[in-house]
């Protein structure tokens, strides 16, 4: 029963959280809300919520919140925190900062294609020029234009050296 | 960086960073970031990798470090002779880059010590050129002898003298300056240069202002360089000055990385850190390259207290110690070694037979005379034998001393030990020896009848024959020491007994 509740909890949090920091922040908000609900609500300090957090909280199913009681609340929160910290993170390194809408679409696409069992972090490195680099389980995979140029550096240099100059001869232009 | 293992910096504590990632990294491997900042993996924690930064740079959490794929190495070769480098092998003496080539060897700085199959019995004496050490506390090639003493007790002077005297023995010297002030390092380089010792010396220095990890790996680098020359079949002297600083830096690093402190707040592996370093010294067989590494770890103590953790640890992992006393140094004695408190566990087997016998007799006289000296002060008349013993002690004490940065060959040392045991100078005292010592040494080098004894020392069957030979040339020595006019006595001005006439009063106009 508790496993099912834990899975539900993780699913709910990871639905709209992509990075470890976001997931832990949502978990903290949920913890404070449940503490206020289950324990001395009148003495609990007011929870400061951003509009998106408030929207998320309001969107939670009542049946979901009813799964928590005095006995299982702290255990579930602790276990969820451990699970979130253990989850592998896919770091996507991009050469430019994506607008928020495109960033969310990209991460949703990744989640849909590969499941919700990993977190996603985004970093920026302009030297990539174009294309991403991915870091998964501690290994750096570079799919950027910079890497392609690096791999074909010798060939490109040969091409530049052997290519003949295009256009009119500068000496001819001067005589004219 | 493609297909390399990487990790992200999670937290920074000064020179210690914790990295998340690097799944198959090993301890002692190198990591680097894109700016070329290097780190040395110190420990593997359950979720993080603990890394010591080798470059003094500010690192921020979130930065990426990738695996360099190699251990920390240092370039070794003959081009190091005469140079001063830091713990990473980068020159710090302002004389340009090292003359490396494409085939220059890169040696790992933290190698395991050679096993017993690579070692040989220590049979050759290591000559420091100082009579007191070579005779009474002899060292062997491959021995580890701790140099122990208070501040300003003459340890560094002794070490520099030992280095300077290696120009007569074809020994390579490696001086590791661990956490000393930069001015001390500069003074040392200048002294060695002026005295002509740099061509066979390598200085590995980490100043007190350098990052702690750099200071920590300095003795490792020094031993790596020493092992290179040892594998070429050379005898090497390595001086670690001082190992107490190294222990303090290790303590600092361990406390910062939340290791549990043990006795005197040192970490539990402090013995291992020094033992696995000193094990790299020894005398090696031809299979391991031949050669030897003689180690002199230096330990500065407070108020002659050698019962603290680090000195006692070092006593357990070395083959003896030389105990320096600041009181003797202040009296002008050089070397300022307290011989009864010093120990050598290996050196005696390396001494020549006659040298050993004379040294034993000398130590006996010194010990017995010291015992009766105090009582003798209260006695009005002493027996002749006691008076002779006290005189011999005075002469021996004077003959064991020598000026700074001087070298006395082994043969002359044997002669100097033998002279007080003869009757030649039995009526003389310490002042006599002080005045004529150098003249006597010169005589044994220049005068044919005396130098003949020096050259034929190996032919004597025992010390008794040597003493008899010296007695036979006693008149020559007595004549030499009587030819020099006595030193002029300083005259003390005698106050005048004439009455002082009163000065006339100035006349008024």
């Amino acid at each position: 029963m508790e496993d099912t509740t834990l899975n539900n909890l993780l699913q709910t949090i990871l639905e709209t959280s992509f990075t470890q920091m976001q997931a832990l922040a949502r978990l903290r908000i949920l913890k404070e809300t449940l503490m206020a609900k289950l324990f001395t609500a009148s003495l609990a300090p007011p929870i400061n919520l951003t509009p998106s957090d408030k929207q998320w909280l309001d969107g939670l199913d009542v049946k979901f919140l009813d799964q928590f009681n005095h006995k299982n609340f702290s255990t579930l929160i602790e276990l969820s925190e451990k699970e979130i910290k253990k989850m592998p993170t896919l770091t996507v390194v991009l050469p430019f900062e994506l607008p928020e809408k495109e960033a969310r679409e990209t991460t949703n696409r990744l989640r849909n294609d590969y499941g919700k069992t990993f977190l996603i972090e985004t970093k920026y490195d302009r030297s990539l020029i174009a294309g991403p680099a991915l870091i998964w389980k501690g290994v750096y995979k570079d799919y950027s234009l910079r890497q392609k140029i690096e791999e074909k550096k010798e060939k490109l240099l040969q091409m530049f050296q052997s290519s003949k100059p295009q256009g009119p001869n500068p000496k001819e232009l001067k005589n004219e | 960086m493609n297909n390399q293992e990487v990790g992200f910096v999670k937290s920074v504590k000064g020179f210690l960073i914790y990295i998340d990632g690097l799944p198959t990294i090993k301890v002692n491997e190198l990591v680097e970031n894109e700016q070329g900042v290097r780190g040395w993996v110190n420990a593997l924690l359950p979720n993080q990798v603990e890394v010591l930064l080798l470059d003094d740079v500010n690192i921020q959490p979130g930065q990426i470090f990738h695996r360099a794929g190699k251990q920390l190495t240092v370039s070794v070769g003959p081009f190091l002779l005469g140079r001063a480098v830091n713990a990473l092998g980068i020159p710090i003496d302002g004389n340009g880059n090292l003359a490396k080539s494409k085939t220059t060897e890169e040696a790992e700085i933290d190698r395991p010590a050679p096993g017993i199959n690579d070692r040989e019995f220590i049979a050759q004496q290591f000559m420091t050129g100082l009579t007191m050490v070579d005779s009474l506390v002899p060292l062997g090639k491959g021995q580890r002898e701790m140099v122990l003493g208070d501040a300003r007790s003459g340890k560094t002077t002794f070490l520099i003298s030992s280095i300077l005297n290696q120009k007569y023995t074809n020994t390579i010297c490696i001086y590791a300056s661990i956490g000393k002030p930069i001015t001390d390092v500069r003074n040392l380089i200048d002294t060695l240069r002026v005295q002509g010792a740099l061509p066979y010396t390598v200085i590995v220095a980490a100043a007190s202002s350098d990052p702690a990890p750099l200071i920590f790996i300095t003795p490792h680098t020094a031993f790596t360089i020493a092992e290179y020359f040892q594998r070429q079949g050379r005898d090497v002297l390595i001086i670690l000055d001082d190992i107490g600083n190294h222990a303090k830096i290790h303590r600092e690093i361990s406390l910062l990385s939340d290791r549990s402190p043990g006795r005197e707040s040192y970490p539990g592996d402090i013995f291992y850190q020094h033992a696995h370093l000193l094990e790299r010294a020894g005398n090696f067989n031809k299979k391991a390259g031949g050669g030897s590494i003689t180690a002199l770890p230096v330990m500065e103590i407070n108020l002659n207290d050698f019962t603290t953790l680090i000195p006692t640890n070092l006593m357990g992992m070395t083959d003896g110690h030389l105990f320096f006393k600041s009181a003797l140094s202040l009296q002008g004695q050089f070397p300022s070694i307290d011989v009864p408190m010093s120990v050598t566990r290996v050196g005696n087997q390396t001494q020549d037979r006659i040298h050993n016998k004379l040294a034993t007799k000398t130590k006996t006289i010194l010990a017995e005379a010291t015992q009766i000296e105090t009582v003798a002060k209260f006695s009005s008349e002493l027996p002749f034998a006691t008076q002779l013993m006290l005189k011999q002690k005075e002469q021996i004490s004077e003959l064991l001393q020598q000026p700074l940065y001087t070298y006395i060959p082994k043969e002359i040392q044997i002669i100097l030990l033998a002279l007080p045991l003869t009757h030649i100078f039995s009526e003389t005292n310490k002042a006599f020896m002080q005045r004529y010592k150098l003249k006597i040494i010169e005589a044994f080098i220049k005068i044919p009848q005396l130098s003949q004894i020096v050259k034929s020392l190996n032919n004597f069957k025992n010390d008794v024959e040597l003493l008899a030979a010296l007695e036979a040339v006693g008149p020559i020595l007595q004549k030499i020491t009587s030819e020099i006019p006595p030193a002029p006595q300083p005259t003390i001005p005698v106050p005048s007994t004439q009455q002082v006439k009163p000065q006339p009063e100035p006349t008024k106009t």
Side-chain angles (χ1 to χ4, degrees):
Chain A
M1 177 68 175
E2 269 201 15
D3 284 342
T4 316
T5 315
L6 178 63
N7 286 336
N8 282 344
L9 174 56
L10 286 171
Q11 290 281 341
T12 307
I13 287 175
L14 293 174
E15 195 80 32
T16 50
S17 308
F18 305 106
T19 67
Q20 192 184 78
M21 211 178 330
Q22 283 176 343
L24 290 173
R26 287 273 156 91
L27 187 67
R28 181 182 56 79
I29 292 165
L30 187 64
K31 177 182 170 184
E32 287 173 0
T33 307
L34 287 170
M35 278 178 76
K37 183 186 165 201
L38 295 171
F39 302 104
T40 51
S42 58
L43 295 176
I47 305 165
N48 293 324
L49 296 173
T50 61
S52 62
D53 290 337
K54 198 169 182 326
Q55 193 182 4
W56 173 75
L57 210 54
D58 291 339
L60 288 177
D61 196 1
V62 175
K63 283 184 190 172
F64 168 75
L65 292 173
D66 287 341
Q67 290 175 87
F68 298 95
N69 54 46
H70 299 85
K71 287 181 189 172
N72 67 8
F73 155 72
S74 59
T75 314
L76 283 170
I77 297 291
E78 270 175 34
L79 286 173
S80 304
E81 194 175 337
K82 277 185 192 165
E83 286 298 318
I84 290 169
K85 284 183 178 172
K86 267 191 332 190
M87 285 181 81
T89 304
L90 171 68
T91 305
V92 180
V93 187
L94 297 170
F96 52 87
E97 196 169 342
L98 282 176
E100 197 182 323
K101 186 185 167 197
E102 278 76 11
R104 202 175 300 124
E105 276 176 16
T106 309
T107 43
N108 279 332
R109 174 79 182 271
L110 282 168
R111 278 281 172 82
N112 288 336
D113 290 347
Y114 301 105
K116 293 195 180 81
T117 54
F118 62 96
L119 298 165
I120 302 168
E121 295 274 355
T122 321
K123 286 198 180 292
Y124 303 102
D125 182 1
R126 295 174 71 169
S127 66
L128 293 180
I129 308 171
L134 302 176
I135 303 174
W136 177 245
K137 290 191 177 173
V139 181
Y140 188 94
K141 294 280 190 187
D142 198 341
Y143 301 106
S144 66
L145 182 59
R146 178 186 70 182
Q147 179 62 22
K148 289 275 184 290
I149 293 172
E150 191 64 36
E151 283 168 9
K152 297 189 190 304
K153 189 167 64 175
E154 293 299 326
K155 203 171 171 185
L156 286 168
L157 279 170
Q158 278 175 11
M159 276 172 59
F160 287 138
Q161 279 166 3
S162 60
S163 65
K164 290 178 185 173
Q166 301 285 332
N169 194 336
K171 281 185 184 171
E172 287 175 359
L173 280 173
K174 196 176 171 183
N175 289 337
E176 284 174 15
Chain B
M1 220 163 41
N2 193 21
N3 289 324
Q4 281 184 327
E5 288 184 17
V6 296
F8 293 94
V9 176
K10 284 291 175 198
S11 59
V12 178
K13 281 188 201 178
F15 48 76
L16 213 54
I17 59 173
Y18 291 90
I19 294 177
D20 182 23
L22 299 167
T24 62
I25 196 114
K26 296 186 183 67
V27 175
N28 293 342
E29 272 197 38
L30 270 185
V31 295
E32 258 181 350
N33 73 357
E34 283 190 325
Q35 284 77 40
V37 176
R38 288 164 301 181
W40 192 42
V41 176
N42 189 39
L44 301 175
L45 306 176
N47 296 322
Q48 292 175 338
V49 177
E50 188 182 271
V51 171
L52 289 171
L53 283 176
L54 296 174
D55 297 307
D56 194 10
V57 172
N58 275 334
I59 297 293
Q60 303 294 328
Q63 285 189 11
I64 299 178
F65 273 78
H66 64 265
R67 196 174 174 182
K70 56 180 182 173
Q71 304 265 348
L72 184 57
T73 58
V74 66
S75 303
V76 290
F79 49 79
L80 286 169
L81 291 171
R83 302 301 303 267
V85 297
N86 70 3
L88 300 174
I90 299 167
I92 55 169
D93 51 9
N95 291 340
N97 290 335
L98 296 173
K100 292 194 262 190
S101 66
K102 285 183 185 172
T103 53
T104 296
E105 186 183 333
E106 294 283 330
E108 288 175 15
I109 68 163
D110 199 14
R111 297 158 60 115
I116 196 160
N117 288 336
D118 294 332
R119 294 174 189 261
E120 251 181 9
F121 185 74
I122 294 177
Q124 281 189 300
Q125 188 174 359
F126 178 84
M127 300 301 295
T128 61
L130 303 171
T131 311
M132 189 184 286
V133 175
D134 295 338
S135 303
L136 303 186
V137 200
L139 306 181
K141 285 186 181 174
Q143 185 173 350
R144 300 156 300 176
E145 183 87 353
M146 180 171 52
V147 175
L148 186 66
D150 277 357
R152 298 268 172 263
S153 56
K155 302 186 297 296
T156 305
T157 316
F158 159 75
L159 295 169
I160 293 176
S161 287
S162 302
I163 292 176
L164 296 180
N165 291 341
Q166 297 318 308
K167 69 171 77 121
Y168 305 101
T169 62
N170 200 27
T171 300
I172 304 280
C173 300
I174 317 274
Y175 189 102
S177 176
I178 307 171
K180 295 253 170 206
I182 192 76
T183 48
D184 286 1
V185 177
R186 174 50 58 189
N187 286 341
L188 171 75
I189 296 172
D190 290 341
T191 305
L192 292 178
R193 179 184 297 118
V194 163
Q195 300 288 340
L198 270 187
Y200 55 87
T201 305
V202 180
I203 298 168
V204 183
S208 49
S209 52
D210 283 338
L214 224 56
I215 301 175
F216 179 72
I217 61 173
T218 300
H220 298 80
T221 304
F223 263 104
T224 304
I225 296 171
E227 281 167 346
Y228 167 78
F229 289 107
Q230 171 265 308
R231 284 196 303 273
Q232 313 292 314
R234 304 293 297 272
D235 293 320
V236 182
L237 167 68
I238 181 168
I239 295 169
L240 306 174
D241 190 5
D242 73 55
I243 210 90
N245 277 351
H246 183 260
K248 286 177 190 158
I249 289 294
H250 183 49
R251 178 173 61 186
E252 182 183 331
I253 294 172
S254 298
L255 289 174
L256 192 64
S257 54
D258 294 330
R259 303 273 195 286
S260 299
R263 187 174 152 190
E264 294 178 31
S265 302
Y266 287 104
D269 67 341
I270 190 69
F271 189 97
Y272 160 76
Q273 288 296 335
H274 293 151
H276 94 283
L277 259 180
L278 290 174
E279 274 170 3
R280 292 164 78 171
N283 189 32
F284 301 95
N285 56 28
K286 287 221 167 75
K287 192 184 89 175
S292 64
I293 301 176
T294 306
L296 298 180
V298 181
M299 179 70 212
E300 188 171 295
I301 54 179
N302 282 329
L303 299 174
N304 293 329
D305 182 17
F306 51 81
T307 59
T308 53
L309 177 67
I310 305 300
T312 48
N313 274 359
L314 287 170
M315 280 180 196
M317 62 181 80
T318 50
D319 307 314
H321 56 265
L322 296 170
F323 194 79
F324 283 75
K325 274 199 165 149
S326 47
L328 296 173
S329 178
L330 289 170
Q331 287 168 20
Q333 178 180 316
F334 176 76
S336 47
I337 297 175
D338 187 346
V339 172
M341 293 284 283
S342 302
V343 170
T344 177
R345 299 194 181 101
V346 169
N348 288 315
Q349 70 203 33
T350 64
Q351 262 184 332
D352 293 339
R353 190 173 21 91
I354 292 179
H355 202 174
N356 197 292
K357 290 217 161 171
L358 289 171
T360 308
K361 284 186 179 171
T362 304
K363 280 189 264 192
T364 309
I365 293 171
L366 288 174
E368 288 177 357
T370 308
Q371 274 188 341
I372 59 177
E373 213 170 23
T374 317
V375 176
K377 283 180 190 165
F378 299 102
S379 302
S380 53
E381 271 193 36
L382 295 168
F384 176 73
T386 308
Q387 287 181 31
L388 180 64
M389 190 183 291
L390 290 172
K391 271 198 183 147
Q392 280 179 326
K393 179 186 181 265
E394 277 187 0
Q395 290 172 6
I396 289 169
S397 302
E398 186 50 42
L399 287 171
L400 288 177
Q401 294 193 49
Q402 64 192 80
L404 291 184
Y405 308 155
T406 53
Y407 173 75
I408 297 184
K410 183 170 71 170
E411 295 77 20
I412 302 294
Q413 290 179 11
I414 294 173
I415 300 294
L416 290 177
L417 278 188
L419 278 177
L421 303 177
T422 63
H423 297 99
I424 305 171
F425 299 117
S426 56
E427 298 299 316
T428 61
N429 58 11
K430 178 179 173 175
F432 177 89
M433 277 301 168
Q434 226 168 27
R435 189 179 296 166
Y436 295 110
K437 181 169 70 176
L438 287 174
K439 191 72 183 172
I440 294 170
I441 294 173
E442 263 181 40
F444 272 98
I445 295 171
K446 289 182 182 165
I447 297 179
Q449 295 98 313
L450 301 180
S451 63
Q452 187 55 39
I453 298 178
V454 174
K455 285 174 191 166
S456 56
L457 272 174
N458 289 336
N459 299 336
F460 293 112
K461 287 182 191 163
N462 51 35
D463 54 317
V464 174
E465 282 190 20
L466 171 62
L467 293 175
L470 286 173
E471 293 277 12
V473 297
I476 302 176
L477 286 167
Q478 283 168 345
K479 189 182 172 196
I480 291 166
T481 51
S482 64
E483 275 171 6
I484 302 174
Q489 295 292 326
T491 51
I492 301 167
V494 177
S496 172
T497 52
Q498 289 179 348
Q499 282 186 352
V500 177
K501 288 181 183 172
Q503 285 189 356
E505 286 181 6
T507 51
K508 290 181 188 175
T509 53

